[in-house]
Every structure is written in structure tokens, then in C-alpha cells.
Amino acid sequence: MLAVSLACGVGLGATGMGWGQVLRLMWAGLSGGSLGTGDAGAYTIVWEIRFPRVVLAAVVGAGLAAVGVAVQALVRNALADPFVLGISSGAAVGANAVILFGALAGLGVWALSFSAFVSALAATLVVYAVARSPLGLSPLRLVLTGTALAYGFQAVTTVMVFGAERGEAARAALMWLLGSLGGATWPKVPLCSRAGCGSGCGRARWTPSPWGTRRRRRWACRPTGCGVSCSSSRRL
């Protein structure tokens, strides 16, 4: 199914191409085969523009699936996702600070990613600190706290967007929130692949305590891919 989805993602686009031509160009790129001069434009579209996008989409999807499994195991809720704990909303605050106000401009092209990561981590710590009680940390309290703070982070993001002086910056912020793979290139694929494999390689095991909380027992690192880790992960 994944291979079919990748082929469809490469074959469908504004520039119409036959499936035979698309498969031939993909094979030429994978095997390093030679092509005629008349295929130069089509090869650039298939191999340099479309193929990196669909491969990166598959890698990002696998990483998100692994993170989703980790969050579900943490809160003991099969419907949980990073939005429940306010992680995604917290990342949006940091990203908008860079896009709208030029924060951390000294980091160059890494400013956006670094700010989003740090703000997501900070949001996680805030949710954990607020949800923790003298009796420990229960999954229900964690979910309720994360949901409430997620709306708070979203409100901050909305205020930042509407308060931006430049309309183009607000548009760029909204486009970032929606997500896009338009800037995908081959050099970016290995970086995202390492991050995705790292998220699917290690996971914490938790065991119930008398108060319904979870105590960390040990870290287990298994050299499995993101897809395998999603299907084999257990909630203890």
C-alpha cells in the first residue's frame, strides 16, 4: 500500500505524464540509468520535485505515528495524540515567534525548527508541572490539563497572528500551521529519517503504581523501524 501511494504521489500532478514514463524515470533515478535529452525536464519534475516530497511525507508520517503510539501509551488512551497534551500548540507558539517577530534570527535557517522544538518541550514541562499533584500523576488529570493548556497556547498563537504588523508574515505563519512539503529536497530526507527512526527506536516502559500513576522502570532501545515500532509497541 505504501509503494502504491508513493507511485500515485509521484505520478499525479499538474504536469500530466503516463505511468510508464513515470516508472521509467523513477527507475532511472534509483538505478542511475541514462536518459535521452528529451526526458530532462520530465526527469527533473519526477526525481527532483515530486519524489522527495512523497518520500519525506512517508518519513514524517512514520515519525508522527511513532509519537502517537508513545503519547497513547503515556496517557492510556487510544485516541490520544500530541494535540491532547498541548505539544503541537506549544510548538506553534515558538514557530510563530520566529516567523512574525524574527526571534532567534542569529540561528539562521535553524531558527524556526529550534524555536518550535524548544517551545514544544517547554509546553510539555508546563503541562506536566500543572497536572502533577501530591498523589502523583494520573492519566486522566494529564489529559484534562493538556487539553486545557492546548486551548491556551492556541489563543496565544491567534493573538500573535492577528497582532502581526506585516500581512505576509501572518500568511506565512498560517501556512506553517497548515503544513507543507513544497520545500522538500533530497538533502532534507536523511535528516528527517534520522529523527523519525530515533523516535521509533527508544521508548519508556511504565508500570502502574497504587495511586494509578506510572513509574518509569527502564528505557528499552530496539532497532526497529517506525512502522514496526507502531505495530509492536505495548501499553503496560
Side-chain angles (χ1 to χ4, degrees), residues 130-172:
V130 175
R132 190 168 181 82
S133 67
L135 298 180
L137 184 65
S138 65
L140 178 59
R141 187 181 179 91
L142 186 64
V143 170
L144 293 177
T145 304
T147 302
L149 290 180
Y151 284 110
F153 296 142
Q154 291 175 10
V156 173
T157 300
T158 303
V159 171
M160 294 171 65
V161 170
F162 279 99
E165 297 180 357
R166 296 177 296 144
E168 187 63 28
R171 180 178 180 275

Side-chain angles (χ1 to χ4, degrees), residues 50-236:
R50 294 183 182 177
F51 209 11
R53 293 179 181 180
V54 296
V55 172
L56 189 60
V59 171
V60 172
L64 291 175
V67 173
V69 170
V71 173
Q72 291 171 7
L74 178 63
V75 301
R76 293 182 178 179
N77 190 332
L79 300 179
D81 57 34
F83 291 94
V84 172
L85 301 183
I87 300 174
S88 299
S89 302
V93 174
N96 282 339
V98 174
I99 297 174
L100 299 176
F101 308 113
L104 303 178
L107 296 179
V109 295
W110 298 102
L112 183 60
S113 301
F114 180 80
S115 179
F117 175 78
V118 171
S119 60
L121 182 61
T124 304
L125 295 177
V126 170
V127 171
Y128 178 82
V130 175
R132 190 168 181 82
S133 67
L135 298 180
L137 184 65
S138 65
L140 178 59
R141 187 181 179 91
L142 186 64
V143 170
L144 293 177
T145 304
T147 302
L149 290 180
Y151 284 110
F153 296 142
Q154 291 175 10
V156 173
T157 300
T158 303
V159 171
M160 294 171 65
V161 170
F162 279 99
E165 297 180 357
R166 296 177 296 144
E168 187 63 28
R171 180 178 180 275
L174 291 176
M175 290 299 296
W176 187 90
L177 293 174
L178 293 175
S180 173
L181 295 171
T185 58
W186 283 117
K188 295 180 181 180
V189 174
L191 177 62
C192 294
S193 299
R194 288 193 294 269
C197 290
S199 64
C201 180
R203 73 175 186 268
R205 291 184 176 180
W206 301 78
T207 143
S209 71
W211 299 107
T213 61
R214 295 181 175 183
R215 176 174 51 87
R216 186 173 59 188
R217 292 172 56 189
R218 63 184 182 276
W219 280 95
C221 184
R222 299 182 179 178
T224 59
C226 294
V228 177
S229 67
C230 293
S231 61
S232 62
S233 294
R234 320 178 278 180
R235 282 178 290 167
L236 301 178

